[in-house]
Amino acid sequence: MDRIHLWGLLVVGFALLFFSLRTPPIKDKILVFLLKAYFSSFFGVIVVEKKFLEYPVRFLDQYFEASILFEYFLYPIVCVYFYQTSYHSRLPGIVGQCLLYTAALTSVEVLYEKYTNLIEYHRWTWVHSFVTIFVLSFSVRMLMQLIHKREQAVG
């Protein structure tokens, strides 16, 4: 059953990716996707190697200890939507939306931890996930804002 969840999440991820890249600015969305995948994989490896949590059922389990589906695909896609919906927002709106996206992702993670073998907490809690997801998402969003300001100053 857990493998079915993984395949279902993969299909949902491809659908979300398809719809997210249908509108401009596509280069910004791709940059958000790649930055998020880079940063989340960096921290994900540390968390898994330190045995704070584990992913008993995962894609390519013979090669990766971390959840490549979440860290390299689903989480970056959600961050593309966060970027897209907060594109014209000021700081309070960005923080508010980041909190909402973070709460949604953390809630889904808690449900998967409780009812499946896709994730298992050891020295980790939902609070760690919430803080980590918020900080990473907010950091990439602010980095994109900095890139835009720099781009406008030069161009």
Side-chain angles (χ1 to χ4, degrees):
M1 188 59 147
D2 292 334
R3 291 262 177 224
I4 293 170
H5 278 274
L6 286 178
W7 284 102
L9 289 169
L10 183 65
V11 169
V12 168
F14 275 118
L16 289 172
L17 182 63
F18 172 76
F19 287 112
S20 72
L21 296 178
R22 291 180 56 203
T23 59
I26 293 173
K27 73 172 179 63
D28 289 356
K29 293 175 184 179
I30 291 171
L31 184 57
V32 167
F33 182 91
L34 293 174
L35 284 170
K36 181 56 67 196
Y38 174 76
F39 289 127
S40 64
S41 66
F42 178 78
F43 289 105
V45 167
I46 293 171
V47 167
V48 169
E49 289 297 319
K50 291 289 187 179
K51 306 285 188 219
F52 293 143
L53 58 83
E54 72 174 296
Y55 301 98
V57 178
R58 60 193 180 277
F59 282 127
L60 301 173
D61 55 355
Q62 66 271 29
Y63 303 110
F64 298 95
E65 299 257 342
S67 174
I68 59 170
L69 180 63
F70 178 74
E71 291 173 10
Y72 291 103
F73 194 57
L74 296 173
Y75 183 32
I77 291 169
V78 170
C79 288
V80 167
Y81 279 91
F82 165 54
Y83 174 75
Q84 186 175 330
T85 59
S86 68
Y87 186 74
H88 295 291
S89 300
R90 297 192 186 279
L91 187 60
I94 293 170
V95 170
Q97 286 188 46
C98 192
L99 287 169
L100 289 173
Y101 278 92
T102 300
L105 284 172
T106 304
S107 298
V108 170
E109 181 180 286
V110 167
L111 291 173
Y112 272 102
E113 197 275 335
K114 187 172 183 174
Y115 296 110
T116 71
N117 285 321
L118 298 179
I119 184 169
E120 188 175 307
Y121 293 161
H122 295 300
R123 298 181 333 216
W124 193 261
T125 67
W126 69 267
V127 175
H128 294 100
S129 290
F130 188 92
V131 169
T132 304
I133 291 170
F134 180 86
V135 168
L136 287 174
S137 299
F138 187 76
S139 296
V140 169
R141 179 62 182 87
M142 291 296 101
L143 181 58
M144 287 303 295
Q145 194 149 341
L146 184 66
I147 290 169
H148 274 281
K149 285 185 181 185
R150 180 77 174 142
E151 197 174 54
Q152 289 174 350
V154 172

